[in-house]
């Protein structure tokens, strides 16, 4: 298993997380794989989304737990997720929606340089 964190956030994402924490209190993330929200990381007030045995705690970003479903983790276990922010509308249930931006997941294969092909 790599020593690198499985999930990290860009400076822009960390700034948005702090803004959302000031508005809503403690937060949590879940990497969506659903049909309605595509594959966006979803941001919720801490505890609003019930996680269970079918979810994996990938790590923390901005002091907030970040989960992914076990099935999705199996596909992405060799990659580092890089959470970023881009202009546009987020998932309809994600807290950043009213801000005019959305969280976006980029990834890189462990062992690949951070500059080499983050998608």
């Amino acid at each position: 298993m790599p020593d690198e964190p499985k999930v990290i956030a860009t400076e822009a994402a960390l700034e948005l997380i702090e803004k959302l924490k000031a508005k809503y209190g403690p937060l949590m993330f879940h990497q969506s794989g659903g049909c309605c929200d595509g594959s966006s990381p979803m941001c919720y007030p801490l505890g609003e989304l019930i996680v269970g045995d079918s979810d994996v705690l990938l790590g923390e970003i901005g002091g907030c737990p970040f989960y992914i479903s076990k099935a999705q983790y199996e596909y992405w276990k060799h990659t580092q997720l890089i959470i970023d922010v881009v202009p546009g509308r987020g998932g309809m249930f994600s807290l950043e929606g009213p801000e005019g931006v959305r969280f976006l997941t980029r990834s890189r294969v462990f062992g690949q340089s951070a500059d080499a092909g983050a998608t």
Side-chain angles (χ1 to χ4, degrees), residues 6-60:
K6 294 178 183 178
V7 61
I8 60 173
T10 64
E11 191 59 39
L14 292 172
E15 288 174 12
L16 179 57
I17 290 167
E18 289 306 312
K19 182 177 183 178
L20 294 174
K21 283 170 38 176
K23 256 185 168 175
Y24 301 105
L27 306 174
M28 65 184 292
F29 286 84
H30 193 280
Q31 178 61 47
S32 176
C35 62
C36 299
D37 297 312
S39 60
S40 299
M42 303 292 289
C43 179
Y44 302 100
L46 184 63
E48 184 172 295
L49 179 73
I50 297 172
V51 294
D53 292 341
S54 63
D55 296 297
V56 174
L57 176 61
L58 217 52
E60 288 189 356

Side-chain angles (χ1 to χ4, degrees), residues 71-87:
Q72 210 171 2
Y73 176 73
E74 283 304 310
Y75 290 111
W76 288 18
K77 65 184 174 186
H78 301 292
T79 62
Q80 181 179 59
L81 301 188
I82 304 157
I83 308 308
D84 201 359
V85 174
V86 295

